[in-house]
Amino acid sequence: MKIRCNREHLADRLAQAARAASTRANLQSAAHVRLTAESSEAPVELAATDLEMTLRVPLTADVEEPGSVLLPAKIAPELIRALNGETVELSAQDDGRVLVSAGSSSYTLYGLPVDEFPQLPEIDHEQVFETDSAVFADVVGRVKRAASRDESRPVLTGALVRFESDRITMAATDSYRLAVAEAPLSKAPPESIEAIIPVKALEEVVRLAGSDGKPLSVAIGEGLVTFGIDGIWLSVRRIEGQFPNFTALKPDGVEQSATIAKDELLEVVRRVGIVVRQNTPVRVELAPGQLSLQARTADVAEGAESIPVAATGTETIEIGFNHEFLRDGIESVPGDEVKLSLISSLRPALLESVDGAFWYVIMPIRI
Amino acid sequence: MRRVVAHLDLDAFFAAVEVLENPALAGVPLVVGGDPLGRGVVATASYEARAFGIRSAMSSAEAHRRCPSAVVVRPDMARYKRHSEGLWALVRAAVPVVEQVGIDEGYLDLADIAPTAGEARRFLLALQRRIRAETGLGASFGCGTGKTVAKIASDADKPVGLVVVAAGREEEFLAPLPLRALPGIGPKADKRLQVAGLERIGQLADLDDESLRLILPGATGRDLRERARGIDPRPVVAASGPSVTIGNEETFDHDIGDPAILSEHAARMAVGATERMLKEGLVARTVTVKLRYPDFRILSRATSAGQPTGDPTEITRLAELALQRALRDRPPPIRLLGVSVSRLVKGEQLHLPLEDESA
């Protein structure tokens, strides 16, 4: 294998692919980026995997000799970025070694033999449909924080992603709160389809999509979901299992609710949060004319805030929330207003957008 | 599995520590407690002083009258705590499950290491000798199939006693003992039992259901009769792992007589305990206030909430209620105040019903 290419381009693309490489010490072979140059006609492919998520990144290069090598994921991007000169040349030596030369510099990377690289999953290109990357990124951003980080409940570490003919729905929950976002799609698959997808992979897709509205390709297969943007393919294993029936978790029998200016509420919640430590609850009291928030940490500080509101009910309900959960929920609501609905101090509370396209259930802290 | 529970009770612990710290006091009638010229009382008397009829909780003046030559030492809790820590470290190294219930007593679960009465006796004898050799302290042991029998047995042959009650012999061991030897009889129950003319543990054990209902109705009566029969299923619970109680106590520089000031201290300590509890992700149902009076006697009162709470305002309110009850039972001045939270549960943060919606 021998290629020559633009040094900056190679450094960028290597760094992009390396994001999927394994950081685990017991997976030496997966701590590499595989570079495959099939022929002088086809683009060079950079691939990396941690066995959960796989990234395939195209590279523009002149192929002098076809072949493939493994480049150490940790140092190769850094080294190539630091070299002098516009062009860099990579050529395979014996035993997995790769000679890197640019300008007057010459380095040898000790990669593993290429046949030790993990088998990568096949992408089923027949399944691929296109959708709006900006809409997809927006709904991921609204639900991702509600997902669990607790690996002992794998289903909850993912988001349920459901494509229907005219819209996308995403839901995530860590059992303390549940976020559900829905948005219309101009481009969608021919049939409804859904999968539980690790949130880490969804965040990576959002990163790849950037902000310039490139079309997003999606293929949802048996065990694998693949996303394609701008020639880069990200595949991730679907999370097996049954996602909670989230529509059944939307509270009903609301006793008291109010619609509040989101910025004002957020400002108050962030401020009162300054005096919150660990699990001390934020006490929220929704009365017919007023929403009050209160927090107190012993020996540190306490504070109280209130906002005039026009509540729909006649009751006064007091409820305690984890500060972070409350703030996440309000921040995730799209639009300028947030509707807060309460049933009682021990029942789930609902935060939602006025159009109902986003809703967030938050379980109280017993106070 | 057969239960083997031992109770360890140190002999005249405070006095024994004073002798260890000052060997000149060995063999002398020694009283640890308040000033004989003031209104203090005896916290502990050495066995030499007990020979003069001096007992714990007796007024210091009375003790002085009974034995004018007795040496009186003011208690030094920090010193006792230091000695106690060494002792319990030794015991925990020898016994897998240890439930310390005070500075000088605790229960040991011997089921795994000495499952028969004979083995228990040999084990405890060796432990008793090691305690003497390594800490200089005298310890009495009682052993049986439950905590009640073990505790009573440890008191049966003091000092340096060792009484092992074999399985099946509990009732026989307890029957002749006076009722007041049975732990867990409160003042109310005590009065009712006296009125009914009961004097011995065996008489309580022999009561039929009907008579028991008349004398001591409800669960209290049934529990006490079970214990009088030597049946006590309470497990020995090691205090390691998640905290059983969280709290702290403070000894004041000057005894405090003003209830309002005590309330302020209690509120501050309640909020502190709440914060520590919440840091551990716990909420409490019970708040306990502990008071030590100038004569070193301790009074504690507890209040419980309907549901576990992590709210500092509510914990403070419960502490205040408990404090008021304690002060009603015995007015200030107060030397030491403690506030703790217990019956701790995790999950003050409620969950969505994800798994089983019917549950």
Side-chain angles (χ1 to χ4, degrees):
Chain A
M1 193 279 321
K2 188 170 182 181
I3 63 159
R4 183 191 298 274
C5 71
N6 178 279
R7 190 182 53 79
E8 287 284 345
H9 176 62
L10 176 61
D12 287 349
R13 290 292 159 128
L14 263 178
Q16 216 153 31
R19 295 183 58 84
S22 172
T23 50
R24 279 177 289 177
N26 60 351
L27 263 179
Q28 258 299 306
S29 60
H32 287 76
V33 175
R34 185 183 67 187
L35 184 154
T36 308
E38 280 191 351
S39 70
S40 51
E41 279 79 46
V44 174
E45 181 195 78
L46 299 173
T49 183
D50 62 3
L51 307 186
E52 289 289 325
M53 187 169 83
T54 300
L55 272 168
R56 291 176 164 95
V57 178
L59 176 79
T60 309
D62 296 330
V63 178
E64 290 184 15
E65 278 173 40
S68 51
V69 291
L70 297 189
L71 301 169
K74 230 175 167 174
I75 68 161
E78 190 186 345
L79 172 67
I80 288 163
R81 194 174 302 283
L83 291 172
N84 286 316
E86 208 177 307
T87 311
V88 63
E89 191 183 274
L90 303 185
S91 61
Q93 313 288 298
D94 292 340
D95 307 329
R97 295 182 178 198
V98 181
L99 183 64
V100 180
S101 36
S104 56
S105 311
S106 163
Y107 284 79
T108 304
L109 294 173
Y110 300 164
L112 286 174
V114 75
D115 54 8
E116 289 187 23
F117 196 67
Q119 172 98 38
L120 296 186
E122 292 295 324
I123 300 171
D124 186 350
H125 286 279
E126 295 206 342
Q127 302 245 12
V128 170
F129 61 91
E130 283 206 342
T131 190
D132 310 322
S133 64
V135 173
F136 187 87
D138 182 67
V139 289
V140 168
R142 298 198 186 283
V143 305
K144 66 178 184 186
R145 283 184 285 181
S148 174
R149 283 156 200 86
D150 178 2
E151 300 291 336
S152 68
R153 297 173 83 184
V155 165
L156 301 189
T157 63
L160 180 82
V161 180
R162 179 184 292 162
F163 288 96
E164 285 163 289
S165 60
D166 57 346
R167 66 197 143 126
I168 181 170
T169 306
M170 256 186 231
T173 178
D174 60 3
S175 87
Y176 302 122
R177 63 262 177 76
L178 160 73
V180 181
E182 202 179 278
L185 285 177
S186 57
K187 287 184 282 184
E191 284 172 36
S192 296
I193 190 163
E194 65 178 47
I196 307 169
I197 302 173
V199 165
K200 187 182 160 225
L202 293 174
E203 288 178 312
E204 205 55 45
V205 172
V206 170
R207 176 195 293 273
L208 291 171
S211 53
D212 40 5
K214 293 173 197 122
L216 172 66
S217 303
V218 184
I220 298 181
E222 280 290 304
L224 197 73
V225 183
T226 301
F227 298 92
I229 287 178
D230 217 10
I232 297 176
W233 292 93
L234 180 152
S235 302
V236 64
R237 267 208 249 156
R238 289 173 64 160
I239 297 175
E240 301 290 326
Q242 183 71 41
F243 197 81
N245 177 13
F246 58 88
T247 48
L249 296 168
K250 193 167 183 176
D252 53 7
V254 168
E255 289 290 336
Q256 183 62 294
S257 72
T259 301
I260 309 143
K262 182 177 151 185
D263 286 350
E264 190 183 359
L265 179 58
L266 209 46
E267 195 179 305
V268 162
V269 167
R270 284 178 181 153
R271 200 157 48 221
V272 87
I274 294 170
V275 306
V276 165
R277 288 283 180 283
Q278 306 265 348
N279 294 330
T280 42
V282 174
R283 299 169 78 99
V284 174
E285 188 188 276
L286 183 54
Q290 178 173 285
L291 175 75
S292 322
L293 284 92
Q294 227 190 312
R296 170 178 178 174
T297 300
D299 297 333
V300 179
E302 61 181 281
E305 299 259 3
S306 64
I307 303 174
V309 296
T312 55
T314 53
E315 286 197 40
T316 295
I317 296 175
E318 200 186 10
I319 189 165
F321 293 121
N322 172 298
H323 174 256
E324 183 192 339
F325 298 169
L326 180 63
R327 194 198 54 215
D328 283 354
I330 299 165
E331 285 176 349
S332 302
V333 174
D336 298 333
E337 293 185 306
V338 178
K339 186 178 170 195
L340 168 67
S341 303
L342 302 178
I343 303 169
S344 76
S345 61
L346 295 179
R347 306 272 294 130
L350 181 65
L351 290 165
E352 59 190 324
S353 58
V354 179
D355 63 3
F358 174 83
W359 49 280
Y360 183 94
V361 181
I362 171 171
M363 290 301 287
I365 288 175
R366 229 187 262 274
I367 54 172
Chain B
M1 198 179 73
R2 172 169 292 171
R3 302 183 68 223
V4 185
V5 177
H7 181 252
L8 183 167
D9 197 2
L10 292 173
D11 302 323
F13 176 55
F14 295 6
V17 169
E18 294 300 340
V19 172
L20 285 172
E21 295 276 348
N22 180 3
L25 295 174
V28 172
L30 177 65
V31 171
V32 179
D35 185 351
L37 302 175
R39 297 172 57 209
V41 297
V42 176
T44 303
S46 70
Y47 285 93
E48 290 82 356
R50 290 178 196 200
F52 290 92
I54 297 174
R55 297 282 178 270
S56 299
M58 177 180 283
S59 76
S60 299
E62 173 66 16
H64 180 68
R65 204 181 53 72
R66 294 196 181 196
C67 178
S69 64
V71 176
V72 178
V73 182
R74 296 282 286 184
D76 180 345
M77 295 310 290
R79 180 179 277 182
Y80 307 147
K81 196 160 176 247
R82 219 165 47 236
H83 283 266
S84 164
E85 280 165 1
L87 167 95
W88 289 107
L90 186 161
V91 174
R92 287 199 171 89
V95 179
V97 185
V98 175
E99 180 182 348
Q100 192 185 337
V101 294
I103 195 166
D104 59 354
E105 64 168 299
Y107 293 98
L108 325 181
D109 189 338
L110 303 184
D112 285 332
I113 51 177
T116 66
E119 286 170 279
R121 174 179 296 281
R122 276 193 296 281
F123 177 84
L124 292 173
L125 194 61
L127 184 59
Q128 195 176 44
R129 285 183 181 145
R130 267 192 68 197
I131 289 173
R132 170 67 87 189
E134 293 184 37
T135 69
L137 295 168
S140 290
F141 285 99
C143 183
T145 53
K147 284 181 169 177
T148 299
V149 168
K151 184 168 168 66
I152 294 172
S154 73
D155 199 40
D157 192 23
K158 269 182 160 296
V160 202
L162 172 55
V163 175
V164 178
V165 179
R169 310 289 290 271
E170 297 88 351
E171 234 178 324
E172 186 187 321
F173 165 73
L174 295 174
L177 299 173
L179 259 180
R180 66 183 140 73
L182 192 65
I185 299 184
K188 247 194 239 165
D190 185 39
K191 197 153 181 209
R192 299 185 78 123
L193 291 165
Q194 272 184 35
V195 168
L198 268 58
E199 287 170 8
R200 308 269 153 203
I201 294 179
Q203 290 171 294
L204 173 60
D206 287 340
L207 285 184
D208 58 45
D209 289 356
E210 194 53 42
S211 319
L212 182 71
R213 229 190 332 272
L214 288 172
I215 299 168
L216 280 178
T220 317
R222 287 196 298 276
D223 275 355
L224 279 179
R225 187 179 61 181
E226 288 291 271
R227 288 186 196 171
R229 291 173 176 176
I231 302 163
D232 182 358
R234 289 176 299 167
V236 178
V237 182
S240 65
S243 309
V244 179
T245 66
I246 291 174
N248 55 339
E249 49 190 60
E250 286 178 23
T251 304
F252 302 113
D253 294 339
H254 306 285
D255 297 351
I256 295 181
D258 183 351
I261 293 176
L262 287 169
S263 291
E264 275 175 37
H265 282 294
R268 179 177 49 80
M269 291 163 83
V271 169
T274 308
E275 201 187 3
R276 279 172 56 203
M277 166 183 90
L278 291 173
K279 270 187 189 150
E280 290 194 41
L282 301 167
V283 285
R285 272 200 67 182
T286 300
V287 180
T288 303
V289 166
K290 170 179 161 187
L291 301 174
R292 192 194 286 274
Y293 288 83
D295 60 7
F296 295 99
R297 302 216 76 174
I298 289 173
L299 190 66
S300 53
R301 291 291 177 265
T303 332
S304 291
Q307 282 173 330
T309 177
D311 178 25
T313 313
E314 175 70 358
I315 299 283
T316 304
R317 190 183 67 82
L318 295 170
E320 173 65 15
L321 285 173
L323 175 68
Q324 291 313 323
R325 283 177 44 207
L327 294 180
R328 212 167 41 233
D329 289 349
R330 190 175 167 190
I334 300 302
R335 185 186 160 78
L336 168 151
L337 173 68
V339 175
S340 63
V341 291
S342 58
R343 288 170 79 194
L344 301 173
V345 290
K346 250 199 154 48
E348 83 279 35
Q349 169 66 61
L350 305 180
H351 289 256
L352 286 159
L354 296 184
E355 259 76 41
D356 182 1
E357 288 169 42
S358 62

